[in-house]
Amino acid sequence: MKPIENTFEEEPIQELAPVAQKVAYDLFSTWSLPQLMEAWIEDKQPNNLLKMHNCPPRFWPDILSATFVAKTTYFLPNPNFNAQQLSYLISLGCTHLGYPLNQYSIADVLGVARSKYPVFYTWLKNLIKIINK
């Protein structure tokens, strides 16, 4: 079941195979950002979760990236976050969207996100505004 407290970018999840979408929504709903980070950094895949959803392991990298985008955009822009924390969320979201900031500019990411990832676009613009205050 998807949380409904606020919006998040679902398009990368919707681009997954249906069986992978189920895993991504399950991850989004039950895993914290630190848990996602650990799986990414340590290159771990949750074999039990994949088996539970009858999802082939080959989908795992895309599931993880789509879930990262959803999870980062679920964090509402908050002026209580410092610039470093906001920059980290931005970098994480852009990387998992496929536009790492060491290869693309924020303007490039905004250009792509504007039509394809509208929630991410709005989220990114709002975080940049807070950083630039």
Side-chain angles (χ1 to χ4, degrees):
M1 184 156 110
K2 294 188 306 185
I4 57 170
E5 290 88 13
N6 51 302
T7 60
F8 57 94
E9 184 57 69
E10 291 186 75
E11 188 58 32
I13 294 175
Q14 294 298 314
E15 292 170 355
L16 298 171
V19 69
Q21 289 177 19
K22 292 176 184 177
V23 177
Y25 281 120
D26 195 348
L27 280 179
F28 175 79
S29 299
T30 61
W31 284 32
S32 66
L33 190 56
Q35 288 173 300
L36 292 172
M37 290 294 299
E38 181 181 342
W40 180 45
I41 290 168
E42 296 182 10
D43 197 22
K44 289 185 191 176
Q45 61 184 37
N47 292 322
N48 290 341
L49 182 62
L50 294 171
K51 283 180 186 176
M52 183 175 79
H53 290 285
N54 296 314
C55 182
R58 72 177 184 272
F59 290 120
W60 175 245
D62 293 333
I63 291 168
L64 185 60
S65 286
T67 305
F68 259 112
V69 172
K71 188 65 90 170
T72 56
T73 59
Y74 192 71
F75 284 93
L76 295 174
N78 183 335
N80 293 325
F81 286 152
N82 65 41
Q84 183 180 13
Q85 291 167 322
L86 294 173
S87 294
Y88 186 74
L89 283 174
I90 289 170
S91 178
L92 198 57
C94 290
T95 295
H96 287 284
L97 197 60
Y99 298 93
L101 295 178
N102 62 350
Q103 297 174 18
Y104 297 90
S105 70
I106 291 287
D108 292 335
V109 178
L110 285 169
V112 170
R114 182 178 206 135
S115 61
K116 191 168 182 180
Y117 305 108
V119 174
F120 186 88
Y121 173 79
T122 301
W123 173 84
L124 182 56
K125 277 183 49 178
N126 288 336
L127 263 65
I128 291 168
K129 271 187 210 173
I130 293 170
I131 289 172
N132 290 332
K133 280 187 179 180

